[in-house]
Amino acid sequence: MELFDVYPLYDVTPVKAKGCYVYDENDKKYLDLYGGHGVISIGHGHETYVTALCEQIQKMGFYSNSVKNPLQEALALKLGKLSQCENYNLFLCNSGAEANENALKLASFETGKRKVIAFDRAFHGRTSAAVSVTDNPKINAPLNQQHQVVFLPLNDIEKVDMALAGNDIAAVIIEGIQGVGGLDQGTSEFFKALEERCNQHGVLLILDEIQSGYGRSGKFFSFQHHGIQPDIITMAKGMGNGFPIGGVLISNEIKASYGLLGTTFGGNHLACAAALAVLDVMEKEDLMKNVTKVNAHFMKRIQEIETVTLIKGRGLMLGVSFAYNVSEMRKKLIFEEQIFTGGSSDPNLLRILPPLCVTAEQIDNFIDALKRVLEKIENKKEQLN
Ligand SMILES: Cc1ncc(COP(=O)(O)O)c(C=O)c1O
């Protein structure tokens, strides 16, 4: 049997990792400025995390959601405190798509409506409702196209008003900062207006913080830069530092009932141990402060690169725009400089999503490497001209 071939692969095989570095089978060291797609939050192989997982698997890895699991309660308590979202309740699941699927389903249950407003270039995952609110027809199968979704441009509140006028909307779903779409984000004015309109119309505001949450923007959730309070918040990626776990924070005005949502694996003992260790390290190492500090350093140093046309994003969720396609640049960064970076649906954007413990020195190494790579690319262009 072979693998179902859905991923274009770089010819590199990481076999171990520590902190902000991954190592291939020949022990070659790579600086990880991509965090396995924004997943690595506290750093690879953190001792607290490894110990917590090892101790938990020796006790018990899994039991079902039909018995008490104090780890879930401990996680809800700690997450509420650290994120300053104590007036929400937590539903645990296994991935980002699943978190959004449950959020959308819950909004529909709560309002009795089925239509959703989403935004141009949004990415919310690949399950049925989540992919239907994702602005990419290529990954929407006919089955997924049954959902009723209106896509609107970001930052255009008049279009939102027009869509809400039909009085048939269950939810508005929006990423705190767009990830796959290319690091665009709503303005504070837009987020505040969205919150106000949702409240006026009895529509639920779902903030997808799957990529932008868990400290990545410098605050626990990126919507906290805008002074709003969404009805539902979804999270995954950084939550487990690589252990699959997702979560939905649900305003305590929305009432739970038995059977409304459910999952076999969500909130299992191992996943909770991983998520608790992540929060522990985030708090002890003050990682959100590090995000802000390293962001300031990055912003200063990236000015040295004249071919950069724009910097997008916040904290350590950054997009560096060039006037040309960055795929060659990314390949050179991996194979000549041993640095992982990311791409997006914008071919001219280099995506930077390092572990939140990345240091200013590691950013310096990246900037120096980027300069060398750009020089080679410019030289090649000159030779061709
Ligand atoms: C903003 C956002 N939402 C949802 C998802 C889907 O998460 P998952 O791949 O864990 O299903 C992603 C994944 O990239 C994402 O970036």
Side-chain angles (χ1 to χ4, degrees):
M1 193 193 287
E2 289 195 358
L3 294 172
F4 197 54
D5 189 14
V6 290
Y7 299 113
L9 299 180
Y10 285 110
D11 186 16
V12 52
T13 312
V15 294
K16 64 174 190 187
K18 189 81 190 159
C20 292
Y21 294 101
V22 299
Y23 300 80
D24 71 10
E25 72 276 41
N26 303 313
D27 224 24
K28 197 183 246 187
K29 184 176 169 185
Y30 297 79
L31 176 60
D32 183 10
L33 296 190
Y34 194 48
H37 208 73
V39 164
I40 302 302
S41 46
I42 58 170
H44 294 277
H46 194 291
E47 211 179 312
T48 305
Y49 176 82
V50 173
T51 306
L53 278 167
C54 291
E55 284 179 358
Q56 188 57 49
I57 192 79
Q58 274 166 355
K59 280 191 250 169
M60 179 163 72
F62 173 83
Y63 204 76
S64 92
N65 277 314
S66 59
V67 294
K68 285 187 179 175
N69 179 350
L71 291 169
Q72 292 187 356
E73 277 147 39
L75 178 56
L77 206 69
K78 196 162 178 107
L79 177 57
K81 234 166 107 187
L82 229 78
S83 66
Q84 300 178 333
C85 287
E86 281 167 306
N87 49 346
Y88 290 76
N89 295 311
L90 173 65
F91 176 74
L92 289 163
C93 55
N94 309 286
S95 69
E98 221 186 300
N100 283 335
E101 195 76 22
N102 279 292
L104 291 162
K105 186 200 261 190
L106 191 59
S108 181
F109 269 135
E110 184 70 9
T111 59
K113 294 177 182 164
R114 60 180 69 182
K115 204 162 167 181
V116 177
I117 295 178
F119 292 91
D120 295 347
R121 292 191 302 284
F123 185 91
H124 296 292
R126 291 168 184 271
T127 56
S128 195
V131 81
S132 77
V133 292
T134 287
D135 185 17
N136 183 352
K138 279 198 210 136
I139 62 167
N140 266 276
L143 177 71
N144 313 123
Q145 290 161 14
Q146 308 171 65
H147 297 277
Q148 295 180 25
V149 184
V150 196
F151 284 99
L152 300 177
L154 266 181
N155 294 321
D156 189 339
I157 199 67
E158 277 176 26
K159 292 231 166 75
V160 173
D161 283 335
M162 276 155 65
L164 289 172
N167 220 14
D168 53 356
I169 306 286
V172 174
I173 184 163
I174 182 167
E175 286 155 273
I177 303 167
Q178 287 191 336
V180 176
L183 281 299
D184 289 307
Q185 55 187 310
T187 60
S188 289
E189 192 190 356
F190 183 66
F191 274 111
K192 284 196 179 110
L194 262 190
E195 179 189 44
E196 185 197 85
R197 303 308 201 274
C198 284
N199 288 340
Q200 274 168 6
H201 289 264
V203 167
L204 298 190
L205 178 58
I206 302 172
L207 245 297
D208 179 340
E209 294 278 358
I210 285 156
Q211 193 167 139
S212 53
Y214 256 79
R216 187 154 289 284
S217 73
K219 291 196 186 278
F220 198 93
F221 291 120
S222 67
F223 72 78
Q224 291 167 328
H225 293 279
H226 308 296
I228 60 162
Q229 268 219 312
D231 300 293
I232 300 178
I233 305 154
T234 55
M235 69 203 93
K237 294 196 188 283
M239 188 175 189
N241 195 46
F243 197 97
I245 181 169
V248 189
L249 291 189
I250 302 155
S251 151
N252 57 18
E253 286 176 15
I254 300 172
K255 298 293 164 225
S257 60
Y258 292 153
L260 190 70
L261 305 177
T263 158
T264 299
F265 294 115
N268 68 73
H269 297 69
L270 259 186
C272 287
L276 278 164
V278 166
L279 292 176
D280 211 23
V281 173
M282 280 180 70
E283 191 176 24
K284 286 208 179 96
E285 297 185 4
D286 216 350
L287 288 182
M288 287 186 265
K289 207 163 167 190
N290 188 57
V291 170
T292 308
K293 192 178 99 192
V294 177
N295 167 281
H297 187 73
F298 186 98
M299 291 306 199
K300 202 168 98 204
R301 291 270 354 242
I302 199 77
Q303 308 288 336
E304 295 168 24
I305 312 235
E306 283 167 7
T307 44
V308 169
T309 54
L310 186 65
I311 306 286
K312 295 199 220 171
R314 253 179 220 278
L316 292 176
M317 182 168 174
L318 295 167
V320 184
S321 271
F322 292 84
Y324 49 87
N325 191 306
V326 297
S327 72
E328 193 189 349
M329 194 188 303
R330 285 186 64 208
K331 276 191 207 136
K332 283 192 180 309
L333 281 167
I334 296 182
F335 297 110
E336 295 173 20
E337 298 288 346
Q338 287 74 52
I339 299 180
F340 287 158
T341 58
S344 74
S345 56
D346 174 353
N348 296 359
L349 194 87
L350 195 65
R351 204 137 65 109
I352 308 293
L353 289 164
L356 308 184
C357 56
V358 71
T359 62
E361 291 72 30
Q362 285 161 337
I363 296 301
D364 287 339
N365 294 341
F366 164 67
I367 299 286
D368 295 344
L370 186 59
K371 282 181 183 170
R372 286 191 292 270
V373 162
L374 288 172
E375 202 180 312
K376 283 186 204 162
I377 291 175
E378 290 305 320
N379 285 345
K380 200 167 136 192
K381 266 197 212 151
E382 270 171 33
Q383 278 166 15
L384 287 174
N385 282 339

Short mmCIF file of all heavy atoms in Angstrom, two decimals, residues 276-304:
data_model
loop_
_atom_site.label_atom_id
_atom_site.label_comp_id
_atom_site.label_asym_id
_atom_site.label_seq_id
_atom_site.Cartn_x
_atom_site.Cartn_y
_atom_site.Cartn_z
N LEU A 276 -2.27 21.13 29.46
CA LEU A 276 -1.94 21.72 30.77
C LEU A 276 -0.46 22.10 30.83
O LEU A 276 -0.11 23.17 31.36
CB LEU A 276 -2.29 20.74 31.89
CG LEU A 276 -3.76 20.74 32.31
CD1 LEU A 276 -4.10 19.49 33.12
CD2 LEU A 276 -4.12 22.00 33.11
N ALA A 277 0.39 21.23 30.28
CA ALA A 277 1.83 21.52 30.29
C ALA A 277 2.12 22.77 29.45
O ALA A 277 2.95 23.60 29.83
CB ALA A 277 2.61 20.31 29.77
N VAL A 278 1.42 22.91 28.32
CA VAL A 278 1.61 24.09 27.46
C VAL A 278 1.29 25.36 28.25
O VAL A 278 2.08 26.32 28.26
CB VAL A 278 0.73 24.00 26.19
CG1 VAL A 278 0.66 25.33 25.46
CG2 VAL A 278 1.28 22.91 25.25
N LEU A 279 0.16 25.36 28.94
CA LEU A 279 -0.24 26.57 29.69
C LEU A 279 0.75 26.86 30.82
O LEU A 279 1.09 28.02 31.07
CB LEU A 279 -1.66 26.40 30.25
CG LEU A 279 -2.77 26.37 29.19
CD1 LEU A 279 -4.12 26.11 29.85
CD2 LEU A 279 -2.82 27.68 28.40
N ASP A 280 1.20 25.79 31.44
CA ASP A 280 2.18 25.91 32.52
C ASP A 280 3.44 26.62 32.02
O ASP A 280 3.92 27.59 32.65
CB ASP A 280 2.54 24.47 32.93
CG ASP A 280 2.89 24.38 34.38
OD1 ASP A 280 2.45 25.26 35.13
OD2 ASP A 280 3.63 23.42 34.75
N VAL A 281 3.95 26.16 30.89
CA VAL A 281 5.19 26.74 30.34
C VAL A 281 4.93 28.17 29.84
O VAL A 281 5.76 29.07 30.07
CB VAL A 281 5.75 25.85 29.21
CG1 VAL A 281 6.93 26.52 28.52
CG2 VAL A 281 6.15 24.48 29.75
N MET A 282 3.79 28.38 29.20
CA MET A 282 3.49 29.74 28.71
C MET A 282 3.53 30.73 29.86
O MET A 282 4.04 31.84 29.73
CB MET A 282 2.10 29.79 28.05
CG MET A 282 2.09 29.27 26.62
SD MET A 282 0.44 29.34 25.91
CE MET A 282 0.24 31.12 25.74
N GLU A 283 2.97 30.31 30.99
CA GLU A 283 2.90 31.18 32.16
C GLU A 283 4.29 31.36 32.79
O GLU A 283 4.76 32.48 32.96
CB GLU A 283 1.94 30.56 33.17
CG GLU A 283 1.56 31.46 34.30
CD GLU A 283 0.54 30.82 35.22
OE1 GLU A 283 0.45 29.55 35.26
OE2 GLU A 283 -0.17 31.57 35.90
N LYS A 284 4.97 30.23 33.05
CA LYS A 284 6.27 30.28 33.75
C LYS A 284 7.32 31.03 32.93
O LYS A 284 8.14 31.75 33.47
CB LYS A 284 6.77 28.88 34.05
CG LYS A 284 6.02 28.22 35.17
CD LYS A 284 6.88 27.19 35.93
CE LYS A 284 6.10 26.58 37.07
NZ LYS A 284 5.48 25.30 36.70
N GLU A 285 7.30 30.84 31.61
CA GLU A 285 8.34 31.46 30.78
C GLU A 285 7.87 32.78 30.16
O GLU A 285 8.57 33.34 29.32
CB GLU A 285 8.79 30.46 29.69
CG GLU A 285 9.41 29.22 30.32
CD GLU A 285 9.99 28.21 29.34
OE1 GLU A 285 9.98 28.48 28.12
OE2 GLU A 285 10.43 27.16 29.81
N ASP A 286 6.69 33.22 30.56
CA ASP A 286 6.16 34.51 30.10
C ASP A 286 6.28 34.64 28.57
O ASP A 286 6.81 35.62 28.05
CB ASP A 286 6.94 35.64 30.79
CG ASP A 286 6.03 36.82 31.11
OD1 ASP A 286 4.88 36.80 30.62
OD2 ASP A 286 6.47 37.75 31.81
N LEU A 287 5.76 33.62 27.87
CA LEU A 287 6.00 33.55 26.42
C LEU A 287 5.30 34.66 25.64
O LEU A 287 5.78 35.08 24.60
CB LEU A 287 5.60 32.17 25.89
CG LEU A 287 6.55 31.03 26.28
CD1 LEU A 287 6.12 29.71 25.66
CD2 LEU A 287 8.00 31.33 25.89
N MET A 288 4.18 35.17 26.17
CA MET A 288 3.51 36.25 25.43
C MET A 288 4.36 37.52 25.42
O MET A 288 4.39 38.25 24.45
CB MET A 288 2.12 36.52 26.00
CG MET A 288 1.15 35.40 25.64
SD MET A 288 -0.52 35.76 26.14
CE MET A 288 -0.59 34.95 27.70
N LYS A 289 5.09 37.71 26.51
CA LYS A 289 6.01 38.84 26.58
C LYS A 289 7.14 38.64 25.57
O LYS A 289 7.56 39.59 24.89
CB LYS A 289 6.57 38.96 28.00
CG LYS A 289 6.98 40.35 28.37
CD LYS A 289 7.13 40.40 29.86
CE LYS A 289 7.84 41.65 30.31
NZ LYS A 289 8.15 41.53 31.73
N ASN A 290 7.61 37.40 25.48
CA ASN A 290 8.68 37.11 24.51
C ASN A 290 8.20 37.39 23.08
O ASN A 290 8.96 37.90 22.25
CB ASN A 290 9.14 35.65 24.65
CG ASN A 290 10.37 35.38 23.81
OD1 ASN A 290 11.40 36.04 23.96
ND2 ASN A 290 10.27 34.44 22.87
N VAL A 291 6.92 37.05 22.81
CA VAL A 291 6.37 37.28 21.47
C VAL A 291 6.48 38.77 21.13
O VAL A 291 6.96 39.15 20.05
CB VAL A 291 4.89 36.82 21.39
CG1 VAL A 291 4.24 37.28 20.09
CG2 VAL A 291 4.80 35.30 21.52
N THR A 292 6.06 39.62 22.06
CA THR A 292 6.08 41.06 21.82
C THR A 292 7.51 41.57 21.63
O THR A 292 7.79 42.37 20.73
CB THR A 292 5.38 41.79 23.00
OG1 THR A 292 4.11 41.18 23.16
CG2 THR A 292 5.22 43.26 22.76
N LYS A 293 8.41 41.04 22.47
CA LYS A 293 9.81 41.47 22.41
C LYS A 293 10.45 41.05 21.08
O LYS A 293 11.09 41.86 20.40
CB LYS A 293 10.57 40.83 23.59
CG LYS A 293 11.94 41.40 23.85
CD LYS A 293 12.58 40.75 25.04
CE LYS A 293 13.55 39.67 24.57
NZ LYS A 293 14.03 38.79 25.60
N VAL A 294 10.27 39.79 20.71
CA VAL A 294 10.91 39.29 19.49
C VAL A 294 10.26 39.92 18.25
O VAL A 294 10.92 40.19 17.25
CB VAL A 294 10.90 37.74 19.44
CG1 VAL A 294 11.51 37.22 18.15
CG2 VAL A 294 11.68 37.19 20.63
N ASN A 295 8.96 40.20 18.35
CA ASN A 295 8.29 40.89 17.23
C ASN A 295 8.96 42.25 16.97
O ASN A 295 9.25 42.61 15.83
CB ASN A 295 6.80 41.09 17.53
CG ASN A 295 6.15 42.06 16.56
OD1 ASN A 295 6.28 43.28 16.69
ND2 ASN A 295 5.48 41.55 15.55
N ALA A 296 9.22 42.99 18.05
CA ALA A 296 9.83 44.33 17.89
C ALA A 296 11.20 44.20 17.22
O ALA A 296 11.56 44.99 16.33
CB ALA A 296 9.96 45.00 19.25
N HIS A 297 11.94 43.17 17.63
CA HIS A 297 13.26 42.95 17.04
C HIS A 297 13.14 42.59 15.55
O HIS A 297 13.88 43.12 14.71
CB HIS A 297 13.97 41.82 17.81
CG HIS A 297 15.38 41.63 17.40
ND1 HIS A 297 16.38 42.52 17.72
CD2 HIS A 297 15.98 40.66 16.65
CE1 HIS A 297 17.52 42.11 17.20
NE2 HIS A 297 17.30 40.98 16.54
N PHE A 298 12.18 41.71 15.26
CA PHE A 298 11.96 41.28 13.86
C PHE A 298 11.62 42.50 12.99
O PHE A 298 12.18 42.69 11.91
CB PHE A 298 10.81 40.26 13.82
CG PHE A 298 10.59 39.65 12.45
CD1 PHE A 298 11.12 38.40 12.16
CD2 PHE A 298 9.87 40.31 11.48
CE1 PHE A 298 10.94 37.82 10.90
CE2 PHE A 298 9.69 39.76 10.22
CZ PHE A 298 10.22 38.51 9.94
N MET A 299 10.71 43.34 13.50
CA MET A 299 10.25 44.51 12.73
C MET A 299 11.42 45.45 12.43
O MET A 299 11.48 46.05 11.35
CB MET A 299 9.16 45.27 13.50
CG MET A 299 7.87 44.52 13.60
SD MET A 299 7.28 44.03 11.98
CE MET A 299 5.59 43.73 12.30
N LYS A 300 12.31 45.55 13.40
CA LYS A 300 13.47 46.44 13.21
C LYS A 300 14.42 45.85 12.17
O LYS A 300 14.81 46.52 11.22
CB LYS A 300 14.19 46.61 14.57
CG LYS A 300 15.04 47.85 14.64
CD LYS A 300 15.50 48.13 16.06
CE LYS A 300 16.89 47.62 16.24
NZ LYS A 300 17.28 47.31 17.59
N ARG A 301 14.74 44.57 12.33
CA ARG A 301 15.76 43.97 11.46
C ARG A 301 15.26 43.79 10.01
O ARG A 301 16.03 43.89 9.06
CB ARG A 301 16.21 42.61 12.03
CG ARG A 301 17.01 42.72 13.28
CD ARG A 301 18.52 42.84 13.16
NE ARG A 301 19.19 42.73 11.91
CZ ARG A 301 20.09 41.79 11.59
NH1 ARG A 301 20.38 40.86 12.45
NH2 ARG A 301 20.69 41.80 10.42
N ILE A 302 13.95 43.51 9.86
CA ILE A 302 13.43 43.24 8.51
C ILE A 302 13.49 44.50 7.62
O ILE A 302 13.53 44.41 6.41
CB ILE A 302 12.00 42.62 8.57
CG1 ILE A 302 11.63 41.91 7.26
CG2 ILE A 302 10.95 43.65 8.92
CD1 ILE A 302 12.25 40.58 7.06
N GLN A 303 13.57 45.69 8.30
CA GLN A 303 13.70 46.96 7.55
C GLN A 303 14.96 46.97 6.69
O GLN A 303 15.05 47.70 5.71
CB GLN A 303 13.83 48.16 8.51
CG GLN A 303 12.78 48.29 9.58
CD GLN A 303 11.45 48.72 9.03
OE1 GLN A 303 11.41 49.33 7.96
NE2 GLN A 303 10.38 48.37 9.70
N GLU A 304 15.96 46.14 7.11
CA GLU A 304 17.23 46.12 6.37
C GLU A 304 17.08 45.49 5.00
O GLU A 304 17.98 45.59 4.16
CB GLU A 304 18.29 45.32 7.18
CG GLU A 304 18.65 45.98 8.48
CD GLU A 304 19.45 45.05 9.40
OE1 GLU A 304 20.10 44.12 8.90
OE2 GLU A 304 19.40 45.26 10.62
#
